[in-house]
Amino acid sequence: MWRLKIADGGNDPNMIYSTNNFVGRQTWEFDPDYGTPEERSEVEAARENYWKNRFQVRPSSDLLWRMQFLKEKGFKQTIRQVKVENEEEITHETATAAIKRATNFFSALQASDGHWPAENGGPLFIIPPLVMCLYITGHLETVFPEEYRKEMLRFIYCHQNEDGGWGLHVEAHSNMYCTVLNYICMRILGEGPDGGQDYACSRGRKWILDHGGAVSIPTWGKAWLSILGLFDWTGCISMPPEFWLLPSFLPLQPAKLWCFMRLIYMPMSFLYGKRFVAPISPLILQLREEIHSQPYNQIKWKKVRHLCAKEDLYFPHLLIQNLVWDSIYIFTEPFLTRWPFNKLRKKALEITLKHIHYEDENSRYITIACVEKVLCMLACWVEDPYGDSFKKHLARLPDYIWIGEDGIKMQTYGSQLWDTSLGLQALLACQLTDEIGPTLMKGHDYIKKSQVRDNPSGDFRSMYRHISKGSWTFTDQDHGWQVSDCTAEALRCCLILSVMPPEIVGEKIETERMYDAINVMLSLQNKNGGLAAFEPAGTSKWLEMLNPSEMFEDVFTEQLYVECTGSVINALVLFKKLHPGHRKEEIENVIRKAVQYFEDVQMPDGLWYGTWGICFTYATWFALRGLAAAGKTYHNCLAVRKAANFLLKLQLDDGGWGESYLSCLAMKFTPLEGNRSNLVQTAWTLMGLIHSGQAERDPTPLHRAAKLLINSQMEDGDFPQQEIVGASLRTCMIHYPNFRNIYPLWALAEYRQRVPLP
């Protein structure tokens, strides 16, 4: 039976190390002797229930660790369930009961180190490259014994679409990229050409061939197939490692790229420059016949370089872009692979590898995220199969593995800090300090221990890194990558807790550490007032025209985000109130510019576009929350009026709101199919309207939304898992299971506190 372990450092201290004794680390192990027969039966029932309903609710409910924690803590809901009848008013007593039930349940899910664990998955292109990498390096069966491989296959089967393909994420239509990768993954994991549950392999292969074969896989897929020996590098766009030699004054240079893309193309260009191809095994020879619609040796690789299946084509390449990539190939590759220019290629590979090692060391071999992790690990193996760098990568693989009732998935990179900072604020809003003091103290301790205490090592700016001292990451301290909104929400927790009794919530964080956090946030504001997430924005927009990926848009350079801006405004306003003497004029100027940014980027209908959540309901809550903190109201701000009025028009008959992930792609509000409500999006909107002052104008829409939340609460205090609500890269959706607990609780707490109730 599977068991989640917290803050565990593994068994080899020579290959894994931590900056804070692994606080926030969450890893799974399989123990054949763990659990009673009844507990194992519960797990199997959860798996069976997911399988039966997988096309109704695609994201998992993330039940396995929850069942473990609730059982270990002996949790039992002691407050009776409440319901609000059709014509009945919500009373203060009813709202309090629902809040206390949710608080009891959510507190029981807290880990021993103070954070809230959870899956952070959703994409279906993450596990296959990891399996491919371990297959290439010969470590698949040692890293993932039989039980792991069984659960990986379960995940692939669970998320196969009815047409036989796999989508970019668990709710997406089938595309070539994920269908080819998952098909190959099943074959590597031991399934035959016609094997798999419900003939998964034959159905997947049929989808591939019916849609033109694997030659129409997008750019990233072409690179992975070339690495495996299922494609030819000449059919890929040029990714020369010489890019890492370019001086900083040039408009196209590594420092100009968004950090995620920079760290993807860094190891990818190393593998491209080496023209690395894995040893050709009998399985690879079989796959050449299975995934291509014509004989492998007859494919004209250069002619399919820019071919992309229409199902994958979100960001079509312009003709000029294709000409640029082809020109780079034609005018560089024939020379850089021959003497004396191959000496430049050798130097470029050395520099690229230096950057890879730097990033590995400064993230304790976690790297920035899942795609980069596997590519960097493979690059280290290509450099030295027996070297410590590769072994240290292997030691950090458990940080990415997550297990739910739908099987094993690879995390994007974990949301421990993000979930905890939001969850703590939800609990604090409940005003139940005397009842949940130990929970608040543990969460506070986790936040304090997770702050990044130093900048990246050495001359970090020459390695294209920004300051990180004082920041918080999305996940844990070892990860090391600063994020503006994570820093803001964590700092806000610390600020609120700093004025509460230390004997209940713990000692407040040192003032200098708060100043360090402020420094990071201020450094990430753009001149137009918006906030970037990871590094300062400002690179020329025309660089986006060179984005090699067909599946993602606006990812080549750092962007500005409504959500990050809203989080930072909230934190700065509270900080200014509690520490009025520190950088007062700078902070006031940042807030003023941020308000202007909100007004400038608001959509004509009154909403704001969200990048990290779905979509308009998410960003609009952050914007209204930020504007309210800055003193903007329905009466003195047109942006607030427009947003509130449009949100009210979107309210559904049951009192809720529901928004499809398709809003992210269309950049236009798109309701869920059948005009269904989503509880998390209802909570965002309820809080947004409360921030707009709706309670003073007409509380009826707020009562209707709160009634839906209260009546949807389950017997144990949990809320049901519904549609996916997280987003990334505009087309890729992310699953945050804890959101179903955090946001309804937070919204009900704000409702009880700010809306008059009988």
Side-chain angles (χ1 to χ4, degrees):
M1 190 167 163
W2 294 96
R3 176 167 55 188
L4 182 64
K5 300 165 70 177
I6 300 299
D8 183 84
N11 301 317
D12 192 349
N14 295 319
M15 291 300 134
I16 188 170
Y17 58 99
S18 173
T19 55
N20 67 347
N21 201 27
F22 300 101
V23 170
R25 193 177 193 227
Q26 44 191 27
T27 55
W28 288 86
E29 71 170 6
F30 180 76
D31 182 349
D33 300 319
Y34 178 67
T36 65
E38 292 77 14
E39 290 167 349
R40 296 180 188 186
S41 178
E42 285 180 40
V43 170
E44 288 305 318
R47 289 168 173 162
E48 184 178 344
N49 185 62
Y50 178 83
W51 176 260
K52 288 180 178 178
N53 297 287
R54 67 192 187 280
F55 295 128
Q56 282 71 53
V57 180
R58 300 294 185 115
S60 81
S61 296
D62 206 16
L63 292 178
L64 268 59
W65 76 271
R66 290 170 172 242
M67 293 162 66
Q68 174 192 329
F69 274 35
L70 296 176
K71 184 75 68 174
E72 289 174 351
K73 297 181 181 183
F75 171 77
K76 185 177 181 181
Q77 184 60 261
T78 56
I79 303 172
R80 68 176 182 83
Q81 191 170 9
V82 292
K83 296 287 184 182
V84 183
E85 301 302 327
N86 286 339
E87 302 302 322
E88 185 181 358
E89 284 188 332
I90 300 174
T91 64
H92 189 275
E93 181 183 0
T94 301
T96 300
I99 289 167
K100 285 187 174 182
R101 297 179 75 253
T103 298
N104 287 354
F105 183 83
F106 188 57
S107 295
L109 297 178
Q110 188 179 34
S112 56
D113 65 359
H115 86 277
W116 274 267
E119 172 189 341
N120 188 244
L124 298 180
F125 55 84
I126 304 178
I127 272 282
L130 175 60
V131 170
M132 294 173 191
C133 176
L134 293 174
Y135 173 75
I136 291 167
T137 63
H139 289 76
L140 180 59
E141 295 186 6
T142 54
V143 173
F144 294 135
E146 182 180 356
E147 283 296 329
Y148 285 80
R149 301 196 299 275
K150 175 183 173 183
E151 292 302 317
M152 287 177 170
L153 284 168
R154 184 194 306 277
F155 180 75
I156 294 173
Y157 302 150
C158 279
H159 295 289
Q160 186 173 27
N161 287 332
E162 292 175 282
D163 64 3
W166 285 264
L168 198 62
H169 55 85
V170 296
E171 292 188 1
H173 67 265
S174 299
N175 71 1
M176 186 64 71
Y177 183 52
C178 290
T179 302
V180 170
L181 292 189
N182 281 281
Y183 177 80
I184 293 170
C185 186
M186 288 190 294
R187 297 286 281 114
I188 290 175
L189 290 172
E191 293 291 6
D194 299 314
Q197 191 164 354
D198 286 355
Y199 305 101
C201 286
S202 56
R203 290 167 58 222
R205 185 173 64 256
K206 183 178 187 302
W207 193 98
I208 294 168
L209 298 177
D210 285 350
H211 292 78
V215 292
S216 59
I217 197 170
T219 298
W220 288 8
K222 286 178 167 65
W224 269 110
L225 295 190
S226 298
I227 290 166
L228 270 175
L230 296 172
F231 205 82
D232 193 279
W233 282 112
T234 58
C236 296
I237 66 166
S238 186
M239 294 176 277
E242 289 74 21
F243 179 64
W244 305 96
L245 300 177
L246 296 178
S248 59
F249 62 82
L250 291 178
L252 181 59
Q253 195 263 349
K256 307 289 197 303
L257 302 188
W258 188 39
C259 53
F260 283 89
M261 293 301 108
R262 187 166 70 239
L263 268 71
I264 286 173
Y265 289 109
M266 185 187 294
M268 203 176 273
S269 67
F270 175 81
L271 296 166
Y272 175 88
K274 297 278 286 188
R275 291 298 194 277
F276 172 77
V277 178
I280 305 301
S281 66
L283 175 59
I284 297 301
L285 293 175
Q286 292 173 34
L287 285 168
R288 286 181 174 180
E289 296 180 3
E290 293 169 16
I291 65 173
H292 293 296
S293 55
Q294 63 185 112
Y296 186 80
N297 58 6
Q298 294 180 18
I299 298 173
K300 308 298 183 184
W301 299 109
K302 294 179 183 179
K303 290 187 176 181
V304 299
R305 182 179 295 153
H306 304 300
L307 189 62
C308 181
K310 62 180 175 61
E311 292 80 7
D312 301 64
L313 194 59
Y314 178 73
F315 180 67
H317 289 174
L318 300 174
L319 176 60
I320 189 171
Q321 183 180 1
N322 291 339
L323 289 173
V324 168
W325 294 121
D326 287 345
S327 298
I328 292 173
Y329 181 87
I330 293 168
F331 294 111
T332 62
E333 290 305 316
F335 300 101
L336 291 169
T337 54
R338 293 180 174 83
W339 187 89
F341 301 103
N342 58 1
K343 293 183 179 180
L344 181 63
R345 170 59 53 94
K346 181 180 178 182
K347 177 67 174 177
L349 290 170
E350 291 172 356
I351 294 297
T352 306
L353 202 54
K354 177 184 175 182
H355 280 278
I356 292 170
H357 288 317
Y358 181 85
E359 294 296 341
D360 287 346
E361 289 291 330
N362 278 278
S363 65
R364 276 51 65 183
Y365 286 82
I366 298 172
T367 69
I368 193 171
C370 52
V371 175
E372 298 84 348
K373 166 70 177 177
V374 176
L375 287 165
C376 286
M377 181 168 68
L378 182 58
C380 289
W381 182 83
V382 171
E383 178 201 18
D384 182 358
Y386 305 102
D388 283 351
S389 294
F390 176 66
K391 294 175 183 176
K392 289 176 180 177
H393 265 295
L394 290 177
R396 278 294 190 174
L397 279 181
D399 294 66
Y400 280 94
I401 300 304
W402 194 262
I403 301 171
E405 63 271 26
D406 58 341
I408 280 183
K409 68 279 310 252
M410 188 178 184
Q411 303 262 55
T412 58
Y413 61 119
S415 58
Q416 296 96 303
L417 186 283
W418 184 240
D419 286 4
T420 301
S421 64
L422 297 173
L424 274 180
Q425 290 181 75
L427 291 170
L428 287 163
C430 296
Q431 299 180 331
L432 299 171
T433 304
D434 291 340
E435 299 180 31
I436 58 172
T439 300
L440 297 177
M441 181 178 283
K442 284 168 59 180
H444 191 194
D445 185 61
Y446 167 77
I447 295 259
K448 290 184 290 186
K449 288 179 178 176
S450 298
Q451 187 181 23
V452 177
R453 305 300 295 274
D454 297 294
N455 289 319
S457 62
D459 182 10
F460 59 89
R461 295 193 186 279
S462 70
M463 304 304 284
Y464 319 127
R465 290 294 295 269
H466 187 59
I467 59 171
S468 59
K469 182 180 179 181
S471 69
W472 276 271
T473 74
F474 187 62
T475 173
D476 57 25
Q477 190 188 80
D478 283 340
H479 182 261
W481 272 89
Q482 68 286 342
V483 192
S484 62
D485 54 356
C486 296
T487 301
E489 300 296 350
L491 177 61
R492 194 168 187 275
C493 288
C494 291
L495 289 166
I496 297 171
L497 292 161
S498 72
V499 297
M500 297 176 69
E503 64 272 15
I504 297 178
V505 300
E507 294 296 327
K508 65 181 180 181
I509 195 170
E510 294 91 333
T511 303
E512 285 297 324
R513 291 172 61 183
M514 292 191 188
Y515 292 172
D516 289 338
I518 293 295
N519 190 51
V520 172
M521 290 190 293
L522 297 188
S523 74
L524 291 171
Q525 187 177 43
N526 189 267
K527 60 184 179 181
N528 73 348
L531 268 291
F534 300 92
E535 298 171 327
T539 301
S540 300
K541 281 289 186 182
W542 66 264
L543 282 178
E544 286 293 340
M545 293 174 57
L546 298 179
N547 171 19
S549 172
E550 304 90 340
M551 300 179 293
F552 310 116
E553 187 176 4
D554 289 340
V555 297
F556 211 43
T557 58
E558 177 67 287
Q559 306 293 314
L560 303 175
Y561 307 102
V562 169
E563 305 98 302
C564 295
T565 307
S567 288
V568 169
I569 285 184
N570 255 277
L572 291 179
V573 168
L574 183 56
F575 176 83
K576 186 166 73 78
K577 178 181 177 182
L578 298 178
H579 299 269
H582 184 72
R583 301 176 72 170
K584 180 180 178 182
E585 289 187 11
E586 284 182 80
I587 290 173
E588 289 177 346
N589 189 47
V590 166
I591 294 170
R592 179 185 58 78
K593 290 169 63 178
V595 168
Q596 185 62 52
Y597 167 77
F598 281 138
E599 294 174 348
D600 291 342
V601 301
Q602 188 177 30
M603 306 288 278
D605 59 15
L607 303 184
W608 284 270
Y609 180 83
T611 302
W612 304 110
I614 300 172
C615 167
F616 293 98
T617 47
Y618 184 67
T620 300
W621 169 61
F622 277 97
L624 289 173
R625 179 177 175 235
L627 288 168
K632 299 299 179 181
T633 69
Y634 187 90
H635 301 292
N636 68 14
C637 180
L638 176 60
V640 173
R641 289 197 297 276
K642 288 172 62 179
N645 291 338
F646 194 75
L647 288 174
L648 292 173
K649 292 178 183 177
L650 296 174
Q651 191 170 27
L652 299 170
D653 292 341
D654 64 1
W657 286 263
E659 183 178 7
S660 168
Y661 78 88
L662 296 172
S663 289
C664 301
L665 286 71
M667 299 189 73
K668 179 181 179 182
F669 183 88
T670 307
L672 286 168
E673 185 178 352
N675 281 326
R676 299 189 309 274
S677 288
N678 180 284
L679 298 178
V680 174
Q681 292 164 344
T682 297
W684 292 336
T685 309
L686 173 56
M687 288 192 287
L689 287 171
I690 289 173
H691 289 305
S692 79
Q694 185 65 36
E696 292 77 39
R697 297 190 300 277
D698 175 14
T700 303
L702 308 181
H703 295 317
R704 294 176 59 217
K707 180 185 288 189
L708 176 65
L709 295 178
I710 291 171
N711 288 344
S712 299
Q713 192 176 35
M714 298 163 66
E715 188 175 348
D716 59 2
D718 196 1
F719 289 89
Q721 179 61 54
Q722 296 175 301
E723 298 84 6
I724 204 164
V725 293
S728 178
L729 309 178
R730 194 168 289 178
T731 57
C732 187
M733 306 305 127
I734 307 296
H735 183 30
Y736 292 90
N738 280 340
F739 279 15
R740 76 174 189 263
N741 302 106
I742 293 169
Y743 283 110
L745 171 60
W746 198 347
L748 287 173
E750 293 278 356
Y751 169 77
R752 184 187 67 156
Q753 183 185 145
R754 300 176 62 173
V755 181
L757 298 175

